Amino acid sequence: MHTLADRPLNIWPSDTQADFIIHALDSAAIVAITDPAGQITFVNAHFVAISGYTADELIGNNHRMLRSGHHPRSFFRRMYATITSGRVWRGEICNRRKNGTLYWVHTTIVPHCSADGEIEHYVAIRFDISDRKRMENDLLASRAKLHWAVNIDALTGLSNRRAFTRHLSTWLEQARDDGSSVTLGLIDLDHFKNINDFYGHDAGDATLRAIAERLRRFETPRRAAARLGGDEFAIVFLGETEDNVRRAIDDLLAAIRDPLVWNGLTHRCTASIGYATAPHDGMLESELFKGADLALYHAKAGFRNRAQKFTPAFTQALDRRMAQLNEVEIGLAEDQFHLLYQPMVPVSPDDAPSLEALLRWNHPLYGERTPDHFRDAFEDPETATQIGDFVLARAVEDIGRIMSSGVTFGHVAINLSGLDFHRQSVAYRLDRLLREHDVPRHKVCVEVTEGVFFGKGSENIRRELDRLHEFGFEIALDDFGTGFASLTHLRQVPFDIIKIDRSFTRGITEAGAEATIVHGIIDIVRGLGRRLVAEGVETRDQADILVDMGCDILQGWLFGRPCPVHALPALFKQLETQRL
């Protein structure tokens, strides 16, 4: 019995089969034959169709006439080395048509050798893969766009936060392995909002691009920059000494200060930088960011336009701040806060005294604390908002109690911070509280300091003060004379009352600058038709001088210490004997 393995194999096709195979190949593939020198001796119809040349133009020529310039010379040298050695070569080639357009072919070149081993000709069989290559290129382009969108900041072209933090993590891993240093610097532009407000957002974008370009000049193989978002940038230094880092940061600050020209306008921009170094300040990405961020906070808390290195004391200060915020929140929840009221005594006997509501904290360990002892709470937006809500609600409740006690008073001044204006309308919120407690609007005076005009949302605060004034609430400007643009605000904001800061009142009895300044302030304020309150009046001599100068209202310990609501009737009886 014979098996299949016992049968002789005939692998050669018959002449009829060979002719059919040649026909099938000619129908599906691009075929060319060249002599050993590379001269084309045969092309099929597919070759003519895809190349755009006629058979007469191709035959007798070399394949070099199809070169696209896409491949380097080394590519063809390797190909020729393969086929001249008698081996088959396979690869993908980009060719150029007669009309100049490009096409891709998957190519197999088979050397045909004589019986003595000499190459007689080469047969090149090609298949058009242009569509596949276009799809691959589109995919690569899409991936490149996705990489750009995911890792690059679209406005500045720098790395974005996502890419930067990923690289920082890698750099820190390398630093752990080789013991090198990594310094992270966080950069925040000073008062960048003013550029948007004064010049427009196009100028703001142009500024960010210009700062990014200046940062890019500092990039080296050991330094990298990124835009983290808004007006915050970052720069990292790999394996550099502390002295080199400090010099580079100082140079960067100087470069940022260089004038910026946009649309014919010249302006300057400054920045604050906080930086921390691994391994000294931590080896984790989160530790380095926290240290640099704390250093940046301290740089901005000072005079800005400077750099600050992280120190452990910053972490201790943060811990104290967080502990205080926690205590304040507990205090609010457990009703440890209350309001005291200090009288504001009018010079005219026909007017009733008014009151200022002052916040106090009955701390379980330290007793009564003024806001000076928990200032950090006012720098945290969430906690400050809670305090503001408490003050507003408690003051309105107390006004209702004062009215019920039969005390005759003018109004109660309630201090509001900038954060009180950043949520829903203060005017509508306050008016709703007054209606709930049946308190008329003229019994409330809203008191602000100039600081509210220098933060974010200052235009909204101006509009809200206008609305409060339209509602019938009196508006007072506190601490007048200590700001930078008080006269401007007197002209632009509808203040009814101006309060002279106590620092001027303190030295008014001496023949010096304070008396001259106060006299000038009183003349200006009265000339504008506004009423003037002098704070910090502690002696009769101070009161007499202020009355002689024309001050309308006096406030200070001369007329009584701040007291709770239930003590106001007795205080007002005492004031009747102290009329000016």
Side-chain angles (χ1 to χ4, degrees):
M1 180 177 180
H2 295 284
T3 65
L4 184 63
D6 297 326
R7 299 176 186 175
L9 293 177
N10 181 13
I11 62 173
W12 299 105
S14 65
D15 290 342
T16 303
Q17 290 174 321
D19 291 342
F20 180 76
I21 291 172
I22 292 171
H23 171 72
L25 182 63
D26 189 50
S27 299
I30 302 161
V31 181
I33 301 175
T34 65
D35 63 19
Q39 189 177 51
I40 300 173
T41 60
F42 169 82
V43 292
N44 70 347
H46 280 303
F47 199 122
V48 170
I50 195 169
S51 69
Y53 291 98
T54 65
D56 290 340
E57 290 174 312
L58 291 166
I59 293 174
N61 255 311
N62 191 288
H63 273 94
R64 284 191 291 270
M65 68 186 294
L66 302 173
R67 283 190 180 178
S68 63
H70 178 81
H71 306 284
R73 289 184 179 181
S74 59
F75 174 85
F76 294 104
R77 282 198 297 267
R78 287 192 298 270
M79 180 184 74
Y80 289 133
T82 300
I83 61 177
T84 55
S85 68
R87 291 174 291 148
V88 175
W89 182 89
R90 294 180 179 86
E92 296 178 353
I93 301 177
C94 180
N95 285 333
R96 188 179 298 277
R97 295 183 178 90
K98 184 177 180 179
N99 65 8
T101 60
L102 303 179
Y103 65 97
W104 281 84
V105 286
H106 186 280
T107 303
T108 301
I109 302 176
V110 182
H112 182 263
C113 300
S114 62
D116 58 3
E118 293 293 324
I119 295 176
E120 294 182 337
H121 55 262
Y122 299 103
V123 178
I125 303 169
R126 300 178 174 90
F127 294 93
D128 183 11
I129 59 170
S130 299
D131 289 341
R132 176 170 68 79
K133 295 299 286 188
R134 274 192 293 271
M135 291 176 63
E136 288 177 357
N137 290 334
D138 289 345
L139 180 60
L140 289 173
S142 297
R143 286 176 177 171
K145 289 180 181 178
L146 180 61
H147 173 81
W148 178 273
V150 171
N151 296 290
I152 304 299
D153 175 62
L155 179 64
T156 64
L158 293 175
S159 294
N160 60 17
R161 178 184 288 272
R162 180 181 182 276
F164 183 76
T165 52
R166 187 175 65 251
H167 292 321
L168 180 61
S169 180
T170 301
W171 293 326
L172 286 171
E173 286 180 10
Q174 294 172 351
R176 281 192 287 270
D177 291 339
D178 59 24
S180 61
S181 66
V182 177
T183 297
L184 170 66
L186 296 182
I187 305 162
D188 194 86
L189 302 185
D190 299 329
H191 306 299
F192 176 72
K193 180 181 178 296
N194 293 341
I195 296 175
N196 283 329
D197 289 346
F198 296 153
Y199 299 103
H201 288 278
D202 288 343
D205 288 347
T207 298
L208 293 173
R209 285 192 292 267
I211 296 301
E213 183 57 36
R214 294 175 186 185
L215 274 169
R216 196 173 282 112
R217 295 175 201 158
F218 281 80
E219 288 190 305
T220 69
R222 305 297 292 169
R223 297 176 185 176
R227 181 189 178 207
L228 303 183
D231 61 336
E232 187 177 8
F233 296 83
I235 190 166
V236 69
F237 302 86
L238 305 178
E240 296 201 37
T241 65
E242 184 176 341
D243 288 343
N244 283 346
V245 168
R246 184 67 204 206
R247 280 194 294 268
I249 287 177
D250 288 342
D251 290 342
L252 180 57
L253 286 172
I256 293 173
R257 284 194 294 268
D258 284 343
L260 294 161
V261 179
W262 178 81
N263 204 23
L265 299 171
T266 300
H267 63 92
R268 291 181 183 273
C269 185
T270 63
S272 301
I273 301 178
Y275 63 100
T277 301
H280 183 268
D281 300 324
M283 285 302 293
L284 298 178
E285 173 194 326
S286 58
E287 292 174 332
L288 217 54
F289 259 104
K290 179 181 178 181
D293 196 46
L294 283 173
L296 176 62
Y297 173 82
H298 283 267
K300 294 180 75 70
F303 295 101
R304 303 186 184 233
N305 187 26
R306 67 190 187 99
Q308 175 65 61
K309 185 180 185 301
F310 171 78
T311 69
F314 296 163
T315 300
Q316 296 166 9
L318 176 64
D319 291 342
R320 288 194 299 270
R321 179 170 176 265
M322 297 307 295
Q324 185 178 92
L325 293 180
N326 185 56
E327 284 187 342
V328 168
E329 290 191 7
I330 293 173
L332 287 168
E334 297 183 355
D335 201 25
Q336 295 173 5
F337 286 85
H338 61 280
L339 298 180
L340 299 182
Y341 295 88
Q342 185 173 40
M344 294 182 285
V345 180
V347 171
S348 171
D350 297 328
D351 297 330
S354 292
L355 298 163
E356 180 180 359
L358 302 172
L359 179 64
R360 294 293 185 266
W361 180 11
N362 187 22
H363 195 282
L365 295 179
Y366 308 115
E368 189 167 272
R369 312 288 278 180
T370 66
D372 286 338
H373 291 92
F374 50 98
R375 283 190 176 278
D376 286 342
F378 296 95
E379 296 180 8
D380 178 73
E382 184 176 347
T383 308
T385 297
Q386 293 180 46
I387 293 174
D389 288 344
F390 166 81
V391 169
L392 211 57
R394 182 60 56 87
V396 172
E397 291 176 12
D398 284 351
I399 292 172
R401 295 189 184 100
I402 298 170
M403 292 172 60
S404 299
S405 70
V407 170
T408 301
F409 67 101
H411 63 247
V412 171
I414 304 173
N415 292 278
L416 299 183
S417 70
L419 287 170
D420 291 317
F421 290 88
H422 291 335
R423 295 186 300 143
Q424 63 186 35
S425 168
V426 173
Y428 290 110
R429 203 160 86 242
L430 180 56
D431 191 55
R432 185 171 61 251
L433 283 169
L434 292 177
R435 282 187 277 105
E436 289 175 2
H437 295 275
D438 198 22
V439 173
R441 294 174 179 173
H442 70 268
K443 288 297 184 182
V444 172
C445 174
V446 171
E447 194 168 297
V448 297
T449 65
E450 260 192 324
V452 301
F453 301 114
F454 294 103
K456 294 181 179 180
S458 57
E459 287 303 315
N460 177 62
I461 292 174
R462 291 178 192 274
R463 288 192 296 269
E464 195 61 25
L465 289 173
D466 286 337
R467 183 179 290 116
L468 284 163
H469 199 265
E470 291 169 3
F471 274 29
F473 296 107
E474 287 196 302
I475 313 295
L477 176 61
D478 197 12
D479 298 337
F480 183 79
T482 60
F484 298 100
S486 297
L487 296 179
T488 300
H489 295 140
L490 284 186
R491 179 171 53 85
Q492 295 178 345
V493 182
F495 291 114
D496 302 286
I497 298 169
I498 309 300
K499 302 184 76 172
I500 303 175
D501 186 68
R502 66 184 65 249
S503 61
F504 295 106
T505 305
R506 190 178 302 118
I508 201 171
T509 55
E510 301 174 7
E514 284 84 355
T516 303
I517 292 172
V518 172
H519 206 293
I521 291 173
I522 291 173
D523 288 343
I524 292 171
V525 172
R526 290 179 69 86
L528 292 172
R530 318 286 173 82
R531 285 174 290 153
L532 195 134
V533 177
E535 296 182 302
V537 180
E538 298 182 1
T539 68
R540 192 70 198 191
D541 289 342
Q542 291 172 336
D544 291 341
I545 292 172
L546 289 165
V547 170
D548 290 341
M549 287 183 176
C551 190
D552 299 295
I553 304 167
L554 306 182
Q555 179 180 356
W557 286 0
L558 175 64
F559 309 101
R561 298 291 182 100
C563 65
V565 171
H566 65 80
L568 285 176
L571 176 62
F572 269 67
K573 285 183 179 180
Q574 176 187 327
L575 289 176
E576 292 178 2
T577 65
Q578 290 181 276
R579 300 301 289 179
L580 297 169

